[in-house]
Amino acid sequence: MSLVDAFFDSIPFANHLGIELDEVGDGRAVGHVDLQEEHSSNPGSMIAHGGVAYSLADTIGGAAVVDLNETVTPTIDMRIDYLAPATGERLVAEAEVTRNGNSVATVTVDIEDGSDTHVATARGVYKTGGVSGETPWTAGQER
């Protein structure tokens, strides 16, 4: 298991939502969440709540950045455009680092709903430098 896999397997919120990291490497990551009734924003039918897509984009985008930087990279900003309702059985996110700088990285994330419907595009900015020593994300953990 890689450092990124181990790190992301330990995120309680991602585990709660059911977010899975499928592949990561070279500043790219792919992950998914299988949609359940509790992910829906609409009683009686599956239309994934926008927060599920946002959380998936942030988590998988972060995995791509952590892969390149081999350390915690907190989100600074995330912008998402919702393009269509997510009505499939699964959301799939593909993230690619578009810039990995000394202090910040930018990532583009595309999300489909498992039936080839492009439901959202996100752009994230993550902190890559300027932090040393213990942080709230690493307190009490071996690095």
Side-chain angles (χ1 to χ4, degrees), residues 8-83:
F8 279 89
D9 280 350
S10 69
I11 299 174
F13 185 68
N15 290 332
H16 176 72
L17 287 179
I19 295 173
E20 298 285 335
L21 181 62
D22 298 322
E23 58 184 85
V24 64
D26 300 322
R28 217 178 140 299
V30 177
H32 75 275
V33 61
D34 290 323
L35 296 173
Q36 306 295 320
E37 180 181 351
E38 58 270 15
H39 294 126
S40 184
S41 64
N42 190 42
S45 67
M46 173 49 71
I47 300 174
H49 188 282
V52 178
Y54 185 97
S55 296
L56 179 63
D58 187 24
T59 302
I60 301 305
V65 178
V66 168
D67 173 61
L68 290 179
N69 293 278
E70 298 180 344
T71 189
V72 174
T73 57
T75 308
I76 296 171
D77 186 49
M78 173 73 60
R79 181 192 190 293
I80 190 165
D81 292 315
Y82 298 101
L83 307 172

Side-chain angles (χ1 to χ4, degrees), residues 129-135 138 143:
V131 177
S132 61
E134 193 170 78
T135 72
T138 60
R143 293 182 80 175

